[in-house]
Amino acid sequence: MIDIHTHLLPGVDDGSPNVEVSVRVLTTMGQEGVSVLVCTPHLRATEAARIDETHHATVFSTLVEHAPQRPKLLRGYEIMLDAPGTDLRPAHLHLGGSSAVLVEFPRMQVPVGAARELLRLRLSGVVPVLAHPERYVGCTIEMVEEWRGVGAVIQTDAAVLLGSGSMSLLARRLLERGLVDCLASDNHGDHRSLAHAERWLLEIGATEQARLLTHVNAERMLTGQPVLPVSPVPALDRGVLGRLRDLLLGRARPSRRPGARRA
C-alpha cells in the first residue's frame, strides 16, 4: 500500500507531536503493508511562498533517521486553498516531488468557484489531488463528478468508509459510483490506517478496486502518470456493512439465544 496523506512530520501541525509517536505509527503501518508514505503537513496556499522549507527539511531528516526502513518516507503538503490564484507549481509543494499536489477546501466547506480553481491548477501544470471530499459541508456526488471532469484526482479518507454517519455514507456512495481515485489514512499520529479499508474491499470481493485505490493510483501519481479508472464498488446493505465493520475492527458481537428478541 501507498499512503499519500499523513500528518506524521512531528511537531509542525496538529498531527504527530514528536518523533516517538511518528515512529510508533510508522512501525505499525509498515507491518500492515504500507511500503511508501508521504508526510503532508498542513499549509495555507497564501503562506506557500514563505514556508520555512529548511526547518521542515531538517525535521524530515530527523524522522527518517529514527524511522523504520519500511515504509519509505517522502515529503509533501496538504495545502488549504484559502485564496484563489495561488501559484502551486514549485516542486517542493508537491507529493514526493511529482506533479501532484494535495489540496483541501477551507473551513470544511465547498467554496464558490471550487471547480474553476481546480481547473486553474490543472491548467497551470499541476495535478490537484482533492483530499476527503466527503468531509465538506454541502458536497454532492454531482460536484465530485464536476471536479473530476476538470482534472482533479479524488482522495477519500480510508477510516471513514467503515463509519455510519453522513460522511461515511457519502464516501461509500462515491465508491459505488466509481468517483474515488485513491484512499489515504489522513493519520494524525493516531490509529487511522489504510489496512482496514483494504481488508474491507477484499472482503466484499472488490480486489481490483482495492489494488487501484490503495497502491496503483498513488504510485502513478508519484511517478507522474495519470490515474487509472476505478470500477464502481458494489453497494452493501447496512446489516452486511455492520457485520464487516465488526469483523475488520475486531469487535465480536454477542451471540443471541435462539428465539431471543432483539433489544
Side-chain angles (χ1 to χ4, degrees):
M1 293 179 285
I2 297 176
D3 197 341
I4 64 165
H5 181 179
T6 71
H7 296 270
L8 293 175
L9 195 63
V12 300
D13 63 4
D14 62 343
S16 171
N18 53 56
V19 170
E20 290 73 19
V21 169
S22 294
V23 169
R24 183 166 65 247
V25 173
L26 290 169
T27 299
T28 299
M29 287 187 169
Q31 293 168 347
E32 291 175 339
V34 177
S35 58
V36 178
L37 179 143
V38 189
C39 296
T40 55
H42 290 292
L43 175 66
R44 293 178 180 270
T46 51
E47 299 172 348
R50 55 182 185 275
I51 186 70
D52 190 347
E53 182 64 13
T54 300
H55 172 65
H56 281 189
T58 300
V59 175
F60 181 76
S61 296
T62 301
L63 178 59
V64 171
E65 181 181 348
H66 291 85
Q69 291 187 338
R70 180 186 175 96
K72 177 182 177 182
L73 301 182
L74 300 175
R75 291 187 58 207
Y77 289 95
E78 180 185 16
I79 303 175
M80 179 188 292
L81 301 177
D82 59 335
T86 305
D87 184 6
L88 300 184
R89 290 176 296 176
H92 69 273
L93 300 175
H94 301 176
L95 299 174
S98 68
S99 59
V101 56
L102 184 67
V103 299
E104 67 172 341
F105 294 144
R107 297 178 294 280
M108 289 297 109
Q109 297 186 14
V110 179
V112 175
R116 184 168 58 251
E117 179 64 6
L118 292 172
L119 175 60
R120 183 196 67 81
L121 289 170
R122 188 67 189 91
L123 293 177
S124 75
V126 305
V127 178
V129 182
L130 181 63
H132 42 59
E134 67 278 359
R135 292 174 56 185
Y136 303 121
V137 177
C139 178
T140 65
I141 288 175
E142 292 72 25
M143 288 178 180
V144 175
E145 288 176 332
E146 182 179 17
W147 299 336
R148 293 181 84 243
V150 299
V153 171
I154 302 299
Q155 175 259 302
T156 287
D157 284 357
V160 78
L161 292 175
L162 297 175
S164 57
S166 59
M167 290 190 299
S168 298
L169 179 61
L170 177 56
R172 291 193 293 271
R173 293 293 175 266
L174 292 174
L175 279 179
E176 291 166 12
R177 297 285 290 269
L179 296 176
V180 179
D181 298 298
C182 70
L183 298 176
S185 71
D186 197 4
N187 187 289
H188 278 62
D190 46 48
H191 299 290
R192 281 177 279 186
S193 170
L194 280 172
H196 292 316
E198 182 193 46
R199 289 177 61 197
W200 173 68
L201 290 166
L202 295 177
E203 287 284 346
I204 66 174
T207 304
E208 181 62 14
Q209 293 96 324
R211 189 177 72 91
L212 290 167
L213 290 166
T214 65
H215 182 90
V216 173
N217 278 343
E219 182 177 56
R220 292 179 68 86
M221 280 188 281
L222 293 175
T223 55
Q225 302 176 72
V227 297
L228 299 177
V230 179
S231 299
V233 172
L236 293 177
D237 63 54
R238 184 172 297 181
V240 172
L241 178 64
R243 290 193 294 275
L244 278 174
R245 182 167 58 242
D246 287 346
L247 171 66
L248 298 178
L249 299 181
R251 296 197 298 259
R253 291 184 176 179
S255 59
R256 293 188 296 117
R257 297 188 308 274
R261 291 183 179 181
R262 291 184 181 271

